[in-house]
């Protein structure tokens, strides 16, 4: 039986690039230290700030929530959780209950935005009505809701659970086969916001995917591993993840070195962290950020439902935020 390199208790993990066998407690510490150093290295969160943690119910954002909740005490920031219930049958209900259990266990205030309650339709129906792919509409809805919720809850940033493997798979896919350049450019540890939007931060930027899974398992965290029926990971990204993990076996630390180069803008399309410079204004319907007169969320809902959905989402979240005493 392998023993922890630090205390000789039973090891639960071998972290190859650090050449460490770790027991449950020391792995926990190792994981938190990694996230804390990422926050410091890239100035993701400052003392006194409020972070809105976007939680999907999956392993990555659940592990992130645990790390943020624990670090918030020593680092002096505040964490509020957000979950968007997209109303996807056979998927959303289990995600929601995982997030509810998690938030309860971590003592985090939780904002749940139920799309069907706010708009009367789920994301699949919304996408169908405008003849677009579910995943692209889902991404748009999530971005919009995250930004509105962060603004109304007076959060300084929105944290998502993207890990090192996610970032590299996306960036390398863009380099190898093209497409998604604008999104890949934003996959840096911190994406500064345009006026009217809230910055995005990625505290698991230097954390390996297998470590987020292990963290959930050893800490007994509630998380769901059912994949969304609409969004099977593209096989290219999955292949790249597999390939990188094989390289990592032969050359431990490869992923960390690569992801740091992406963060510095030395690799792929990821040059700088800012978005393209096209003019931004305020949506004439909902008042949030838009390129042009109407934001993409209000435009798409207007087409699908006959009314702009933005103001309803704003009103819906405002009520929750006030109920939680966050506004
Ligand atoms: P994805 O785009 O599904 O890979 O998710 C990327 C990140 O977005 C996750 O790690 C979460 O932080 C966040 N996220 C995804 N789905 C949701 C959701 N339904 N509610 C809140 N946050 C989410
Ligand atoms: Zn130990
Ligand atoms: Zn709008």
């Amino acid at each position: 039986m392998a023993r922890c390199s630090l205390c000789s208790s039973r090891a639960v993990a071998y972290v190859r690039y650090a050449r460490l066998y770790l027991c449950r407690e020391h792995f926990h510490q190792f994981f938190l230290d990694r996230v804390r150093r990422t926050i410091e290295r890239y100035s993701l969160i400052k003392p006194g700030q409020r972070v809105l943690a976007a939680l999907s119910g999956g392993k990555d954002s659940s592990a992130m929530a645990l790390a943020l909740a624990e670090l918030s005490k020593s680092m002096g920031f505040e964490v509020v959780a957000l979950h968007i219930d997209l109303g996807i049958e056979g998927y959303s209900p289990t995600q929601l209950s995982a997030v509810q259990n998690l938030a309860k266990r971590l003592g985090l205030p939780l904002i749940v935005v139920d799309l069907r309650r706010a708009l009367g339709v789920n994301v699949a129906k919304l996408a169908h009505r405008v003849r677009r792919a579910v995943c692209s509409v889902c991404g748009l809805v999530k971005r919009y809701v995250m930004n509105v919720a962060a603004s109304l809850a007076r959060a300084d940033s929105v944290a998502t659970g993207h890990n090192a493997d996610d970032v590299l798979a996306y960036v390398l896919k863009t380099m190898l086969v093209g497409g998604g350049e604008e999104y890949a450019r934003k996959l840096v540890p911190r994406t500064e916001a345009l006026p009217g939007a809230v910055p995005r931060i990625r505290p698991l930027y230097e954390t390996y995917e297998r470590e987020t899974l292990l963290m959930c398992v050893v800490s007994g965290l509630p998380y769901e591993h059912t994949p969304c029926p609409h969004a099977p990971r593209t096989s290219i990204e999955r292949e790249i993840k597999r390939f990188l993990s094989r390289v990592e076996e032969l050359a431990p630390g490869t992923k960390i070195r690569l992801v740091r180069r992406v963060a510095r803008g030395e690799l792929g399309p990821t040059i700088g962290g800012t978005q393209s410079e096209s003019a931004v204004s305020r949506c004439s319907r909902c008042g949030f950020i838009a390129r042009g007169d109407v934001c993409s969320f209000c435009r798409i809902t207007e087409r699908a439902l006959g009314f702009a959905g933005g103001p309803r989402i704003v009103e819906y979240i405002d009520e929750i935020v006030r109920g939680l005493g966050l506004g």
Side-chain angles (χ1 to χ4, degrees):
M1 179 180 73
R3 299 256 159 211
C4 176
S5 313
L6 303 177
C7 76
S8 80
S9 302
R10 193 172 72 85
V12 296
Y14 178 56
V15 184
R16 208 180 173 93
Y17 57 87
R19 297 215 188 98
L20 286 175
Y21 283 96
L22 295 171
C23 67
R24 184 188 295 257
E25 222 161 277
H26 281 112
F27 175 72
H28 191 96
Q29 201 51 50
F30 175 88
F31 190 96
L32 288 193
D33 281 346
R34 167 75 63 195
V35 178
R36 184 177 44 74
R37 282 204 298 269
T38 303
I39 292 171
E40 287 168 353
R41 178 190 286 256
Y42 301 109
S43 302
L44 301 186
I45 308 170
K46 303 235 155 46
Q49 288 191 334
R50 180 179 284 172
V51 180
L52 185 70
L55 308 185
S56 67
K59 65 183 184 344
D60 300 309
S61 50
S62 297
M64 173 183 80
L66 175 66
L68 290 181
E70 295 200 6
L71 292 170
S72 64
K73 297 167 204 144
S74 56
M75 297 179 80
F77 58 86
E78 193 188 339
V79 184
V80 174
L82 168 72
H83 178 68
I84 303 154
D85 181 343
L86 298 147
I88 299 166
E89 243 173 83
Y91 173 70
S92 296
T94 50
Q95 303 302 117
L96 172 64
S97 78
V99 173
Q100 283 170 328
N101 289 335
L102 182 67
K104 198 158 150 203
R105 165 153 166 198
L106 300 176
L108 300 177
L110 171 63
I111 300 169
V112 175
V113 179
D114 182 327
L115 200 65
R116 271 179 309 187
R117 267 197 219 158
L119 298 182
V121 289
N122 71 3
V123 72
K125 193 166 245 176
L126 195 59
H128 182 74
R129 294 225 184 133
V130 292
R131 295 194 176 76
R132 275 180 56 172
V134 178
C135 300
S136 95
V137 172
C138 184
L140 188 156
V141 169
K142 286 191 284 196
R143 281 193 299 279
Y144 182 78
V145 172
M146 284 179 200
N147 188 51
V148 170
S151 300
L152 297 178
R154 296 193 293 115
D156 298 282
S157 56
V158 177
T160 54
H162 297 94
N163 60 49
D165 300 61
D166 293 333
V167 171
L168 290 175
Y170 199 89
V171 168
L172 290 180
K173 185 189 84 174
T174 300
M175 287 172 73
L176 295 172
V177 300
E181 281 79 3
E182 202 189 339
Y183 181 68
R185 257 194 295 279
K186 293 182 199 164
L187 276 180
V188 286
R190 180 187 176 90
T191 314
E192 286 311 327
L194 296 162
V198 179
R200 291 298 155 82
I201 61 171
R202 302 178 177 90
L204 302 185
Y205 202 83
E206 297 194 349
T207 297
Y208 288 15
E209 190 157 291
R210 65 180 287 268
E211 289 164 11
T212 70
L213 177 60
L214 200 55
M215 185 67 170
C216 290
V217 173
V218 304
S219 309
L221 283 188
Y223 75 99
E224 267 299 321
H225 34 242
T226 339
C228 174
H230 296 290
R233 281 255 173 270
T234 71
S235 57
I236 293 174
E237 277 168 80
R238 208 181 309 145
E239 271 318 305
I240 293 173
K241 282 187 177 181
R242 252 187 230 142
F243 162 76
L244 276 176
S245 294
R246 300 238 307 269
V247 177
E248 177 76 29
E249 290 272 305
L250 300 171
T254 296
K255 290 188 210 170
I256 292 236
R257 286 190 294 274
L258 274 182
V259 92
R260 285 185 179 156
R261 291 185 61 197
V262 176
R264 289 196 295 266
E266 293 173 4
L267 190 72
T270 317
I271 299 158
T274 46
Q275 308 179 13
S276 59
E277 290 296 318
S278 69
V280 295
S281 53
R282 298 217 166 239
C283 173
S284 60
R285 309 292 195 269
C286 70
F288 281 85
I289 186 171
R291 290 170 199 278
D293 180 43
V294 182
C295 77
S296 42
F297 183 82
C298 285
R299 204 173 334 118
I300 209 169
T301 44
E302 226 162 50
R303 256 208 296 148
L305 310 167
F307 62 87
R312 294 218 188 170
I313 296 282
V314 172
E315 199 183 323
Y316 182 96
I317 296 176
D318 194 50
E319 204 177 310
I320 297 174
V321 160
R322 271 194 280 152
L324 291 170
L326 297 167

